[in-house]
Amino acid sequence: GLPGMSSVLSDTDLLKVRIVAVVSSGLSMFVGLFSIYFMYNYDHRKKLFRHELIFFLIICDFIKALILLLYPIIILINSKLYASPPMIHTLGWFTQFATEGSDFAIGIFAIHFALLIFKPNWKWRNNKSGNMEGGLYKYRNFIWPITLLIPAIMASLVFIDFNVIDYVDPSTVNIVINNDDLASHFKPRRGGYKPWSAWSYLPARPVWYKYVLSWGPRYFLILMIIGIYVSIYIYVLRETRRIKEQFHEFNDSSKNSRTDINKDLPWYR
């Protein structure tokens, strides 16, 4: 069978899962193409830095949808490739890169939006559109390399312990599918990407791969985004309350002024 591979689905269930993956990924690609066309043809005079971040997010999601479409199609056409390490590692790397790139873009967008609210005086002119930009626009030349570099590093760190041979004790697992038709001469390795039912992704164990390279950063981004938007909500609420109080004070002072003026009129007496 496949070295280092585990499965809990029957052949019929695997077929259903892969068909669902093909259909959903195809729909995602269709929406992605429409979004790319819309963003590319958007009026350049109205384009802002946040549109570039959204465009990067769409590209990452499109790459992920493409990889998630290719993997099940390739397996359905030729199941022997299920035991092909070059294909597994290549598709797994791009899946991880696109996933982390999307998450990172969402985090950068949240920080950019927060700076637009809390630092409204930060303004720089966009030489392409002529618009005044705020937020992280000034640091865009540093943001783009970081946005590409960090997901690439995180996708590559999966190959740590790739040379460690990691056999599984058969007595500790429940064999559902033997996969003898996919017998491979490759040895099971701890690191690297693994072929799951509908995609190639991080290994199940050791669990630090998922905690450090996937769910850990994702939970951090979720908490950061929640904190940012709660802070924005509180800030806007306070500013709205302050403006209302100033408006009421202005109305009261206006009424008092009119009363004082009327007192000076002859017919008021």
Side-chain angles (χ1 to χ4, degrees), residues 5-24:
M5 179 56 192
S6 59
S7 176
V8 294
L9 299 176
S10 64
D11 288 335
T12 303
D13 293 333
L14 285 173
L15 179 61
K16 293 177 182 179
V17 169
R18 287 164 184 163
I19 291 175
V20 171
V22 170
V23 174
S24 59

Side-chain angles (χ1 to χ4, degrees), residues 108-120 135 228-229 232:
I108 292 295
F109 185 86
I111 296 173
H112 175 71
F113 190 68
L115 291 175
L116 291 175
I117 300 298
F118 295 116
K119 296 291 184 180
I228 286 175
Y229 285 111
I232 291 174

